[in-house]
Amino acid sequence: MAGHSKWNNIKRRKESQDAKKAKIFTKLSKEIYAAVRSGGEDPTTNLRLRMALTKARAENIPSDNIERTIKKAAGNSENIQYEEITYEGYGPGGVAVMVKALTDNRNRTAAEIRHAFSRNGGNLGENGCVSFLFDRKGQLIIERNEEMDEDEVMLDAAEAGAEEIESEEDIYLIETETEDFEDVKNNLEQKGYLFTKAEVTMIPQTTTNLSNEDAETLIQLIEKLEDNDDVQYVYHNFEMTEEQLHQFVN
């Protein structure tokens, strides 16, 4: 989990905010569309849609955009069908990489994902080649501030049903079982906590360190994958050292 938060810190500092926001809007709009098509337009009965809406609001996507996407999906006036595909492979140094995509053109997306791996020191593998190295978990991130008492945060999270709580320099990371995610999130929200991230994700069981050269190449691979509009999520088990963190941030 710590490595994942470091990766997010690096991304925040390296990426253009405007470009990042446009990409996020595109990806979340596709997720909302696919959620409605698969489970209906009522978020009270559609968990996938409910989670997509939570992410969209956290990213400040305008309500008008959200409603327009929901109505478009409910009517399917454009006759778009998105297919969910998971790609698995290895990056430089044997790092496990999983890619979750939503696409209306399987052949195009597969070719682009394969190209990204091959051009950046990786190899696209068969389904199942790395997924066993990850656990599906709920993850909540709370940004620390001076008014927070660490013991109180830990106690509140534990009472809410959290499986694991980790205190870092600038954040608290809370991990839950997938089926407990919404209950933990709702319980903590009722106590006034706000989240910088709240989602069900894939957590690596073990992490891998890399040489500086391989780390740089892996970062290029992940950025190339995340830049693809069809890619919703990229998961990996790379653990960055403090030295590499400072090197890539600075």
Side-chain angles (χ1 to χ4, degrees):
M1 290 166 60
H4 186 75
S5 65
K6 289 177 184 176
W7 174 257
N8 283 338
N9 288 337
I10 290 170
K11 287 205 309 179
R12 281 199 294 270
R13 299 180 191 186
K14 288 186 66 176
E15 293 176 349
S16 161
Q17 291 302 309
D18 289 343
K20 179 183 178 183
K21 184 174 291 187
K23 289 287 182 184
I24 289 173
F25 278 24
T26 298
K27 294 173 187 289
L28 286 175
S29 293
K30 287 176 67 174
E31 174 61 21
I32 291 170
Y33 191 101
V36 172
R37 293 300 300 158
S38 66
E41 59 185 302
D42 184 357
T44 61
T45 58
N46 186 339
L47 174 59
R48 180 178 176 183
L49 177 59
R50 197 155 66 241
M51 293 179 65
L53 294 178
T54 297
K55 293 178 190 176
R57 289 168 184 144
E59 295 292 346
N60 297 314
I61 294 182
S63 297
D64 288 347
N65 292 27
I66 294 174
E67 290 301 320
R68 190 160 52 247
T69 300
I70 291 175
K71 289 179 180 178
K72 187 182 296 184
N76 198 24
S77 57
E78 299 179 356
N79 197 31
I80 298 174
Q81 296 294 335
Y82 288 118
E83 182 179 7
E84 295 179 88
I85 307 174
T86 299
Y87 301 94
E88 302 180 35
Y90 295 93
V95 166
V97 180
M98 288 182 62
V99 181
K100 299 281 189 179
L102 268 177
T103 179
D104 58 355
N105 188 323
R106 171 189 282 263
N107 292 335
R108 178 197 67 221
T109 305
E112 291 174 351
I113 299 300
R114 185 174 293 105
H115 180 73
F117 270 88
S118 64
R119 289 294 299 272
N120 294 279
N123 293 287
L124 193 60
E126 299 293 329
N127 286 344
C129 69
V130 301
S131 57
F132 68 95
L133 298 171
F134 295 82
D135 294 320
R136 185 171 172 81
K137 299 285 186 179
Q139 191 178 75
L140 303 160
I141 296 180
I142 301 172
E143 191 168 345
R144 296 179 71 121
N145 62 55
E146 295 179 356
E147 299 176 0
M148 287 183 177
D149 179 83
E150 182 169 316
D151 290 338
E152 184 177 355
V153 174
M154 296 286 191
L155 180 61
D156 286 344
E159 290 180 343
E163 181 182 52
E164 183 177 340
I165 309 140
E166 185 172 335
S167 174
E168 295 195 356
E169 183 178 350
D170 55 351
I171 59 173
Y172 294 100
L173 291 101
I174 299 170
E175 188 177 295
T176 77
E177 292 291 347
T178 305
E179 59 269 20
D180 298 331
F181 171 74
E182 281 210 287
D183 286 342
V184 174
K185 177 177 176 292
N186 292 337
N187 287 338
L188 289 174
E189 283 179 333
Q190 290 172 8
K191 293 184 178 181
Y193 290 101
L194 300 175
F195 308 107
T196 58
K197 176 182 175 183
E199 66 180 8
V200 174
T201 186
M202 302 298 291
I203 305 293
Q205 297 168 1
T206 59
T207 57
T208 299
N209 294 117
L210 295 176
S211 67
N212 290 346
E213 182 180 356
D214 281 346
E216 184 175 10
T217 306
L218 178 68
I219 288 172
Q220 292 172 356
L221 168 60
I222 294 172
E223 289 179 342
K224 183 66 174 178
L225 291 169
E226 290 183 335
D227 195 48
N228 188 309
D229 286 342
D230 292 335
V231 172
Q232 296 296 100
Y233 304 101
V234 179
Y235 307 112
H236 59 85
N237 67 344
F238 170 44
E239 177 70 28
M240 189 172 291
T241 65
E242 290 297 327
E243 177 187 350
Q244 289 167 347
L245 173 64
H246 292 297
Q247 176 180 340
F248 290 117
V249 169
N250 297 325

